[in-house]
Amino acid sequence: PKNVTFIELHSNYTFKGIDGLAVPSSARYLNESFEFTHGFGGNFELGFYVFGAFVPGNGYQYFGSHIRPRFTVPDTWKWPLGASLSVEFGFERHNAGEDYVWDGEIRPIIDKNFGAWYFAFNPNMDFVISGNDKHLGITPQWKTVYTIQQKVGVGFEYYGTLGTFKKILPGDLQEHLLGPMVDIYSIKDWEFNSGFLLGLTSNSNRYIFKLILGHRFSKK
């Protein structure tokens, strides 16, 4: 909503990385990213990310930042599905030994409520426009939630990396993460989302715990 600011802390911890790592403990990142979002109207918001992580043996490292404008289709259009589009853009690196690259993602969001059920599908595309790994990738996501008495939601989340539009990866080289999650809606002005993701291929991080904590601030 207009004049509402939303601050989130996104945390995830990798208990076990992909198969075959020479040093398995090197995958045990504690990612800590902050998102700041402000509503400018009924259908537009602007977000800003700060990416970072506690890296095994190296302490906290700053990984980069993105901005994220997002537009939502107004209810007055009377579409049968919810629809919005966000575009992230900024600079990022995966560890302190790498150079920053300009990258981002294009995220369409299609969702629908059916009574107590909620379904969302994000046919995401990630992109890198500098460095040695320039690409436009295919990174779909979906979420299914059943809400209990409008207080708690339980369901599943999925995250995938399939390759690029030029080359779809073989199945065992793709990344597929799927796991149970819970949302809590009953605490006023707070957001709580948590889950545990399981890697379904040998090139997926095997076990990831995720947590999002957020708070809304309204301008009086």
Side-chain angles (χ1 to χ4, degrees):
K2 186 177 181 180
N3 294 328
V4 172
T5 300
F6 196 29
I7 299 177
E8 293 177 309
L9 173 64
H10 297 241
S11 305
N12 61 70
Y13 180 75
T14 303
F15 286 91
K16 183 180 179 181
I18 64 175
D19 291 344
L21 285 177
V23 183
S25 62
S26 65
R28 294 174 187 158
Y29 278 44
L30 173 60
N31 288 282
E32 297 287 359
S33 298
F34 291 90
E35 180 182 2
F36 306 86
T37 304
H38 185 77
F40 289 92
N43 305 100
F44 178 74
E45 66 183 27
L46 182 65
F48 175 71
Y49 286 95
V50 177
F51 302 122
F54 291 94
V55 180
N58 291 294
Y60 182 82
Q61 295 182 6
Y62 170 69
F63 283 173
S65 295
H66 281 179
I67 60 170
R68 179 188 56 79
R70 178 185 173 196
F71 173 79
T72 301
V73 170
D75 292 338
T76 55
W77 292 14
K78 297 182 180 180
W79 284 20
L81 299 171
S84 63
L85 177 68
S86 70
V87 180
E88 284 189 28
F89 182 68
F91 56 92
E92 192 174 3
R93 61 181 178 177
H94 295 292
N95 61 65
E98 296 182 358
D99 294 330
Y100 288 105
V101 297
W102 292 100
D103 68 347
E105 71 170 26
I106 302 168
R107 178 189 293 265
I109 304 171
I110 303 165
D111 62 358
K112 181 71 174 178
N113 286 296
F114 295 94
W117 287 97
Y118 171 78
F119 299 90
F121 174 58
N122 307 149
N124 293 352
M125 295 164 282
D126 74 306
F127 59 86
V128 178
I129 61 173
S130 68
N132 297 322
D133 186 32
K134 300 182 182 72
H135 69 265
L136 178 62
I138 305 171
T139 55
Q141 302 174 3
W142 60 258
K143 176 172 182 169
T144 302
V145 181
Y146 182 79
T147 301
I148 303 169
Q149 297 184 345
Q150 298 182 336
K151 294 182 178 180
V152 178
V154 292
F156 288 89
E157 293 180 355
Y158 164 82
Y159 302 85
T161 301
L162 307 185
T164 70
F165 281 88
K166 289 185 176 181
K167 182 180 180 181
I168 300 297
L169 294 170
D172 60 340
L173 295 181
Q174 296 178 8
E175 183 174 22
H176 298 277
L177 300 168
L178 176 67
M181 52 71 57
V182 61
D183 286 306
I184 296 177
Y185 311 120
S186 58
I187 307 173
K188 181 177 172 58
D189 293 329
W190 284 89
E191 176 193 30
F192 177 93
N193 166 269
S194 186
F196 194 85
L197 297 168
L198 305 174
L200 305 182
T201 65
S202 59
N203 204 43
S204 304
N205 287 311
R206 287 303 198 181
Y207 308 122
I208 298 176
F209 171 77
K210 59 160 289 190
L211 173 67
I212 299 176
L213 293 175
H215 191 269
R216 295 175 181 86
F217 299 88
S218 300
K219 183 178 179 181
K220 303 298 184 182

